[in-house]
Amino acid sequence: MRIARLLVRHEVRLLVSLVLWVVRRTHGTRPGRAFGYARGQGAMMFGFGFVCLVETVAMSVLLRDWPTVHAVFLFLDVYGIVIVVGLHASSVVRPHVLDVEGGSLRIRRYVHVDLRVPLERIASVRRELRMTHERADGELDVEVGSQTTVTLELTEPVTHVTFLGRRREVRVVRFHADDADGLVRALGRARV
């Protein structure tokens, strides 16, 4: 039941992100400064959406003689397209947020990752482009398009809650930001 509840919550968040994207609003960016990360994956998400659309048309042609099966597959295919668009929308409306007044950096990806890092726990921040990521204890890689551009090293660990609710303590966080240089400079100013 817990996993079913998590999946339903995930789908609802994606649909809410889609609505926010349509009305050009963001989620949880006030009073901080938003730093986007969606630009690097736009083409890939467009490609996924296009493949889903082609599949929908192909399945409609193949299943036209079986109306019940056609209706089921049409629903699933259209829902798949909505999910792909919702994933992209969630990356646009849920950017990283630097909240100097609140003393935190909020690192996000889609609706899957939402990690708050207190500014006082940041030991160092640097711009570092990485294209490969090995899994390691105490490290979190929040990749976009298989790359990260900012690396945070922390003085003490923060707790990252995974998609299915597992808790991990992390001391190094790597993530992607479209304006990595601006984010690193802003973090440097905020920590002083």
Side-chain angles (χ1 to χ4, degrees):
M1 278 311 282
R2 187 179 70 81
I3 291 176
R5 208 170 35 248
L6 288 170
L7 291 174
V8 168
R9 187 179 87 181
H10 175 265
E11 301 298 308
V12 168
R13 285 179 170 180
L14 283 179
L15 296 176
V16 167
S17 295
L18 196 54
V19 170
L20 289 173
W21 191 42
V22 168
V23 297
R24 299 185 180 270
R25 299 276 189 262
T26 56
H27 176 270
T29 57
R30 293 198 179 146
R33 181 176 168 195
F35 290 90
Y37 57 88
R39 218 175 19 214
Q41 69 183 12
M44 180 182 67
M45 296 307 281
F46 176 77
F48 282 149
F50 180 74
V51 168
C52 290
L53 183 63
V54 168
E55 181 205 15
T56 302
V57 172
M59 292 304 287
S60 290
V61 170
L62 291 172
L63 298 173
R64 67 181 172 261
D65 295 333
W66 296 287
T68 305
V69 177
H70 176 263
V72 169
F73 273 89
L74 182 63
F75 172 79
L76 292 174
D77 285 340
V78 170
Y79 188 69
I81 293 171
V82 169
I83 292 302
V84 168
V85 174
L87 281 171
H88 181 66
S90 69
S91 68
V92 172
V93 303
R94 296 172 183 269
H96 306 306
V97 180
L98 174 59
D99 182 4
V100 177
E101 293 176 16
S104 70
L105 172 65
R106 192 172 182 183
I107 300 168
R108 304 197 282 187
R109 179 162 188 240
Y110 303 134
V111 294
H112 306 115
V113 176
D114 193 348
L115 177 71
R116 289 181 192 264
V117 178
L119 295 179
E120 68 268 4
R121 290 191 188 180
I122 299 175
S124 69
V125 58
R126 66 183 175 276
R127 186 179 191 323
E128 177 182 37
L129 177 61
R130 281 189 162 210
M131 303 298 276
T132 59
H133 301 86
E134 300 287 327
R135 284 190 166 249
D137 286 338
E139 295 183 3
L140 175 65
D141 296 316
V142 185
E143 307 164 19
V144 172
S146 297
Q147 71 178 3
T148 57
T149 54
V150 179
T151 300
L152 295 178
E153 293 182 11
L154 308 177
T155 56
E156 58 185 90
V158 294
T159 303
H160 165 62
V161 180
T162 65
F163 178 69
L164 294 177
R166 199 182 85 189
R167 296 180 171 278
R168 290 183 53 212
E169 298 294 318
V170 294
R171 291 185 81 92
V172 175
V173 181
R174 293 182 191 91
F175 61 99
H176 176 75
D178 292 336
D179 181 16
D181 292 324
L183 178 57
V184 168
R185 281 193 302 273
L187 272 171
R189 286 191 300 269
R191 290 176 47 228
V192 173

